[in-house]
Amino acid sequence: MSILFYSTIDDPAEWLPRLQAHLPGETIRLWPDIGDPAAVDVAVLWTQPPEGLGALTGLKAVQSLGAGVNQLSLGTVSPAIRVARLVDPGLSDDMAEYCLLATLRYFRRFDLHERAQRVGEWSFRLPQDRAGYEVGIMGLGTLGAAVAARLAANGFPVRGWTRLPREVEGVRCFAGATELDAFLDGLKVVICLLPLTAETTSILNARLFARLDGAYLINVGRGAHLVDDDLVQALEAGRLAGATLDVFHSEPPPADHPFWSHSHILMTPHVASAGDPATATAIVAENIHRAQAGAPMLYEVDRARGY
Ligand code: GLV
């Protein structure tokens, strides 16, 4: 039996020695040195390797290296194979910090000051009222809840929107399509941390932006949540005042994509959060043990639901 590790973004030099320390006696293989493909029983992956998973005929489980799993193209993975998301304190902390930073940048108007400086303008403005600066988080999973807690700890009133009703302490919760407009009403910042599913693809669209009035968008979910043209139009129309985007339809976006040069869009290259091998390898090792024993994994994906 062997464990396969493949990622285009995670550093194997950080992951493999720690993983091996948690799994003494196990053979851990780094793609493309996969040995006998039929011997691989667990694959630890960010995306599928270029040749897919078809040759891994003994595969029991896939452990995602991301909090999300859509990048694994699970439609091509047999439903009999268990799949687990990565839940890791390092990943949650990174995400909470990124969203707090992006929110504070807007709340303290650094975006306006950056633009004013570039054109030689001294643009004094009084500070804004924090109690009236409501931030809405779409998706209250592990990451959404961590972001909500961090924003609330910094004094921001927080709303949350989820597919099914949910209660999170300190968060005004809204659920489902019928409560989406009420959730959006009056928000200063909208943060997207939804899983990417058929239902949430293109959810950040003109209809949603039309409910906003000069709000800011922070998309740290997936690029496919956003209709790019609708964002550009919403910025032009003033429905949105700016956007911070960490995820894109293709990464990087093509060189002629309008986001690159847009004065009201800040792009970051999918860096909002990453699993920390120092903490995540223990969780991954536990999941490998579970998968090998045929037991349910921690944070296992509901294959029908897609997250
Ligand atoms: C990153 O995008 C992740 O899914 O963790």
Side-chain angles (χ1 to χ4, degrees), residues 46 66-68 71 91 222 270 273:
W46 165 240
Q71 73 285 351
L91 203 125
R222 288 288 186 254
H270 206 142
S273 69

Side-chain angles (χ1 to χ4, degrees), residues 70 138 161 180 184 192 194-210 217 219 221-231 247-249:
N70 66 289
M138 301 180 73
W161 182 81
L180 184 57
L184 295 168
C192 176
L194 290 164
L196 185 67
T197 64
E199 279 178 331
T200 65
T201 296
S202 300
I203 193 166
L204 302 174
N205 60 27
R207 206 203 72 74
L208 183 145
F209 298 146
L217 173 70
N219 188 17
R222 288 288 186 254
H225 285 129
L226 176 64
V227 180
D228 292 1
D229 289 345
D230 289 3
L231 169 60
V247 288
F248 304 89
H249 283 265

Side-chain angles (χ1 to χ4, degrees), residues 9 46 64-71 86 91 95 143 220-222 246-247 270 273-275:
I9 55 174
W46 165 240
S64 175
L65 284 163
V69 292
N70 66 289
Q71 73 285 351
L86 182 61
L91 203 125
M95 186 55 86
L143 296 181
V220 277
R222 288 288 186 254
D246 188 52
V247 288
H270 206 142
S273 69

